[in-house]
Amino acid sequence: MPFLRPYIRPLVLVLVISLFGTALSLAQPYLSKLLIDQALLRGDMDALVQIAILMVVVAIVAYALNILASYRYVSASAAMLFDIRVALLRHLQTLSPRFYGGFRLGDLMSRLNSDVSDVQRVAADTLLSVLSNVLVLVGSIVLMVWLDWRLFLLGVVLIPACVLTFLHYQRKLTLITREMRERGADLGSLLVDTVMGMRVVASLRAGEHEVRRFESGNNGFVRAMLRMQMTSFMAGAIPGALLTASTSAVILYGGMKIIDGQMTIGTLVAFMTYQGRLFAPIQTLMGLTAGLASARVSLARIFELFDTPAEVTEKPDATGLERVRQGIRFEGVSMRYDRQPVLVDIDLDIAQGSFCAILGPSGVGKSTLADLMVRYQDPQAGRILVDGRDIRDLKLGDLRREVILVDQAPHLFNDTIAANIAFAMPGASAEDIEAAARMAGLGDLLTRLPEGLATRTGERGLALSAGERQRVALARALLRKPSVLILDEPTSALDGQTEQLVARGLREALPHATIVLITHRPVLAEMADTVVTLDSGRATMRHAREAACA
């Protein structure tokens, strides 16, 4: 309803236009009756011309109204589905990295692309078809009863059997369609996994192994698709046979009444036309079973994502944050994953303007510490303070503007180096972008590249080396001039000389900012004012002089 409510007035207008268009369409068979009984059988040329002209005018106006209704409906439904897609995208942006770490990428893309597109297709085509066919169905029934109620009863005696068949196969199609979507998502996830790991596949000569995996997944998808195809065929074939038998009975009974002089030929022709228009909507509605079942499954899969709760939410009365002036403080912070302690009663005080290095072996919670500072997740115990305020009381946008995290494996978009550095900053000048790039150690690279900052980085940045991608991500952060810059293994792909150059450039680029460096490199740790060592979930902090002595 929240998505439908803004479009109720346009949809009501579509309904009114469709009513007029349907009324004119239903007038055509009755005009055929007049054409036969009043003009042809009586040899009245004037009546023949007048009725023929009237039939053309009615047809043109009906077509025009139907086209207008279809155009307005598609416009409203496309806008409504766009709203759903935008709302889903915004909701996904609130979910933590842990969600994306545990959710298959292929399945997620299937829901964002295929499922939303399927809903849009059904909303734009199927639902309008349902509306128009229901109107034709009701109008045809009324006119058939008016022409001959006995003939009408004979014509509709098998409709209950058709409806029961429709309902039976609709239930089966819903289950089969969901299975087919899941098999399709499995196949998409496998393809994404294979393409992203193509270097591993090639190096281990695992091409045939991946082909066999794909063949197995594809066979499951094809079996589900064939079951849906057969069920959909039966949903149309059985009712169609029943409707054909009903039509034959009407022709037989109507012919007998004409022979007995109890019915005119024009009345039977008009009745048969209405009967055709009566059965056509029923057959169409039955044929829409697959589309409606598919849309039902797609909506369920989309709203499963909407129902995934965000781990981090902004309070309604959250306060703003300008610049960080006093630093970041951890008070009794603890975190557990799968019942295993990662951080245990952490107490840290990172002064504003300091250079802090966080050391420790893999898996001790260094990256978790960084995620907590930017609120990708909240601590299960304790609190984190920025300038003496709990970060849960701050506006998320302000916090993430002033506290920026650069990941170890940053993502680059398939665009130019300049566009990646100035991502989501349309007002950044070329001079500022180039300055940020040079402070991140990209000066030599830009000199070698013929197109410089206009060089495209390729899909996921793979046209650049791992070290170059890290420096582009670092330049992206430096351009924003945050109060706190958190770097998670930012120089793991750099040589020692470039590493020191980048580290010294950080302090020059952000002379008053807090720099938090997660690293295994002793050289970078020696440059820090304070060193935090994580071990078994606990933290110890030493100042630079103490660390040097140790």
Side-chain angles (χ1 to χ4, degrees):
M1 283 306 298
F3 297 109
L4 180 63
R5 192 174 294 115
Y7 302 98
I8 288 179
R9 291 183 63 183
L11 292 177
V12 169
L13 177 61
V14 168
L15 177 60
V16 172
I17 296 173
S18 296
L19 282 171
F20 281 108
T22 301
L24 290 174
S25 299
L26 291 171
Q28 288 284 10
Y30 189 76
L31 291 176
S32 299
K33 174 185 182 305
L34 296 178
L35 187 69
I36 295 172
D37 293 342
Q38 303 296 325
L40 294 178
L41 295 181
R42 295 183 180 182
D44 190 338
M45 181 59 69
D46 291 337
L48 178 65
V49 173
Q50 292 173 4
I51 295 173
I53 293 175
L54 184 59
M55 292 178 69
V56 172
V57 171
V58 168
I60 292 175
V61 175
Y63 282 132
L65 289 175
N66 288 330
I67 291 173
L68 177 61
S70 177
Y71 179 85
R72 295 300 298 264
Y73 184 84
V74 170
S75 176
S77 66
M80 182 175 64
L81 269 297
F82 173 78
D83 292 345
I84 294 178
R85 182 169 277 167
V86 168
L88 181 58
L89 186 60
R90 285 175 174 160
H91 177 69
L92 290 174
Q93 291 171 353
T94 69
L95 302 182
S96 72
R98 293 180 61 193
F99 167 81
Y100 296 99
F103 205 97
R104 295 177 306 164
L105 180 59
D107 192 10
L108 182 60
M109 295 309 300
S110 173
R111 298 184 190 219
L112 280 169
N113 187 29
S114 299
D115 287 325
V116 175
S117 297
D118 187 53
V119 171
Q120 183 170 6
R121 176 184 60 79
V122 171
D125 300 331
T126 305
L127 295 184
L128 182 59
S129 180
V130 168
L131 173 65
S132 60
N133 280 284
V134 166
L135 294 175
V136 170
L137 181 65
V138 173
S140 297
I141 289 174
V142 171
L143 290 168
M144 288 171 68
V145 171
W146 177 65
L147 286 172
D148 192 309
W149 65 270
R150 295 182 182 84
L151 200 59
F152 167 75
L153 292 178
L154 180 63
V156 301
V157 69
L158 294 178
I159 286 182
C162 296
V163 172
L164 290 175
T165 305
F166 169 77
L167 295 175
H168 170 72
Y169 282 106
Q170 185 182 46
R171 287 191 293 269
K172 293 187 66 174
L173 278 170
T174 299
L175 298 176
I176 296 173
T177 300
R178 185 173 186 87
E179 180 187 357
M180 192 181 76
R181 287 299 172 84
E182 291 172 352
R183 297 292 79 78
D186 292 341
L187 199 61
S189 295
L190 190 150
L191 288 171
V192 169
D193 199 30
T194 299
V195 170
M196 295 186 69
M198 194 59 74
R199 289 174 62 88
V200 177
V201 173
S203 65
L204 298 180
R205 296 179 299 167
E208 287 304 313
H209 174 267
E210 289 302 285
V211 169
R212 287 192 295 272
R213 286 179 64 201
F214 175 76
E215 182 180 9
S216 176
N218 186 70
N219 288 340
F221 175 76
V222 170
R223 284 193 296 270
M225 182 174 63
L226 289 175
R227 284 198 299 273
M228 189 183 77
Q229 186 68 26
M230 287 302 299
T231 305
S232 179
F233 172 77
M234 295 300 292
I238 295 177
L242 295 174
L243 295 176
T244 300
S246 179
T247 302
S248 299
V250 168
I251 292 174
L252 178 62
Y253 180 70
M256 292 172 58
K257 294 190 71 174
I258 291 175
I259 292 173
D260 292 341
Q262 299 177 14
M263 179 183 290
T264 65
I265 295 176
T267 300
L268 180 61
V269 169
F271 189 94
M272 292 295 300
T273 305
Y274 284 124
Q275 185 187 37
R277 297 196 178 194
L278 172 67
F279 290 160
I282 295 175
Q283 289 178 312
T284 301
L285 291 171
M286 291 178 179
L288 294 175
T289 302
L292 294 173
S294 176
R296 185 180 298 110
V297 171
S298 295
L299 277 173
R301 283 165 51 84
I302 290 169
F303 280 97
E304 280 178 9
L305 292 179
F306 274 119
D307 292 338
T308 302
E311 294 185 23
V312 172
T313 56
E314 183 179 286
K315 292 183 178 180
D317 59 347
T319 58
L321 175 69
E322 295 183 0
R323 300 290 293 179
V324 178
R325 304 186 186 282
Q326 300 173 25
I328 300 177
R329 181 175 179 79
F330 287 71
E331 292 184 350
V333 171
S334 297
M335 289 290 292
R336 301 174 69 90
Y337 293 146
D338 299 325
R339 300 184 180 179
Q340 296 296 320
V342 178
L343 300 176
V344 180
D345 200 23
I346 299 293
D347 289 312
L348 293 175
D349 196 347
I350 304 174
Q352 180 60 24
S354 65
F355 193 140
C356 175
I358 299 178
L359 303 179
S362 298
V364 296
K366 301 189 301 296
S367 295
T368 300
L369 211 63
D371 287 348
L372 289 172
M373 283 188 273
V374 293
R375 279 202 79 193
Y376 284 161
Q377 51 190 323
D378 286 329
Q380 294 161 348
R383 60 178 186 164
I384 303 171
L385 307 178
V386 171
D387 289 354
R389 292 184 288 172
D390 193 320
I391 63 173
R392 287 171 289 202
D393 296 330
L394 301 175
K395 291 182 177 179
L396 270 175
D398 289 356
L399 175 68
R400 292 175 182 171
R401 183 195 66 233
E402 295 303 318
V403 183
I404 290 182
L405 170 62
V406 178
D407 293 315
Q408 178 179 358
H411 179 82
L412 297 189
F413 298 91
N414 189 6
D415 208 329
T416 64
I417 294 176
N420 271 281
I421 293 174
F423 177 70
M425 289 186 67
S429 66
E431 293 77 12
D432 290 341
I433 295 172
E434 184 172 0
R438 296 193 180 280
M439 285 186 289
L442 288 170
D444 291 342
L445 173 67
L446 298 178
T447 302
R448 294 195 309 269
L449 295 174
E451 296 182 83
L453 286 168
T455 303
R456 298 192 70 86
T457 61
E459 191 76 27
R460 291 178 288 119
L462 293 180
L464 304 178
S465 69
E468 290 164 350
R469 291 197 295 273
Q470 286 182 331
R471 279 175 278 174
V472 171
L474 181 58
R476 180 191 293 163
L478 293 177
L479 182 63
R480 284 157 170 77
K481 295 181 171 57
S483 300
V484 180
L485 178 61
I486 306 168
L487 305 161
D488 190 354
E489 296 288 357
T491 59
S492 59
L494 304 183
D495 57 68
Q497 183 178 0
T498 306
E499 177 184 65
Q500 294 186 37
L501 175 65
V502 171
R504 293 191 184 95
L506 289 176
R507 181 48 71 203
E508 295 177 9
L510 303 171
H512 305 295
T514 302
I515 298 174
V516 180
L517 189 64
I518 298 172
T519 182
H520 289 89
R521 304 289 184 94
V523 174
L524 294 180
E526 291 172 1
M527 301 174 64
D529 303 325
T530 56
V531 177
V532 176
T533 303
L534 287 179
D535 187 21
S536 300
R538 298 185 180 275
T540 58
M541 175 177 279
R542 294 176 295 173
H543 295 289
R545 188 171 298 175
E546 297 171 1
C549 293

